[in-house]
Amino acid sequence: MSDVTIKIKDREGVVHEVQGPTDMNMNLMEVCKAYELPVEGTCGGMAMCASCQCYVLSDHELPEMSDDEDLMLAEAFYVEDNSRLGCQIPITPALDGLEIELAPES
Ligand code: FES
């Protein structure tokens, strides 16, 4: 009932439509992992590894970047204007219909 639908394009170009719970304190990186998408989340969601980098394809309003996320993305590879760290994006009702693409592995 409180799930949002998110479309995630993997690195092979396959789009996965997944459900993210808004009431379990999860973030986008954790949802990817829950669906066994190839997102490592090496730092456990601390904005310190960029393995959860994704490109935001839809024009959803997302929470503003923290300084930590901004600094991490400044050092990461394959960063584009629409890059975000999945672990810094909590699953909220506002995310319903969000479309993202996984960034290449660095
Ligand atoms: S999991 Fe490490 S930056 Fe997101």
Side-chain angles (χ1 to χ4, degrees), residues 51 65 75:
S51 69
M65 252 190 227
E75 289 176 16

Side-chain angles (χ1 to χ4, degrees), residues 21-89:
T22 58
D23 56 358
M24 285 179 63
N25 206 14
M26 282 176 89
N27 61 51
L28 205 45
M29 174 273 281
E30 292 166 332
V31 169
C32 290
K33 285 181 73 103
Y35 282 90
E36 298 187 344
L37 290 163
V39 171
E40 293 209 2
T42 316
C43 74
M46 306 283 286
M48 287 171 68
C49 72
S51 69
C52 64
Q53 186 192 168
C54 56
Y55 306 126
V56 179
L57 306 177
S58 53
D59 56 5
H60 283 68
E61 189 103 6
L62 296 177
E64 265 193 56
M65 252 190 227
S66 66
D67 289 346
D68 287 346
E69 181 176 0
D70 204 16
L71 285 171
M72 187 63 242
L73 283 173
E75 289 176 16
F77 295 101
Y78 310 112
V79 174
E80 306 284 350
D81 287 347
N82 59 347
S83 286
R84 291 297 301 257
L85 296 178
C87 69
Q88 301 301 299
I89 300 179

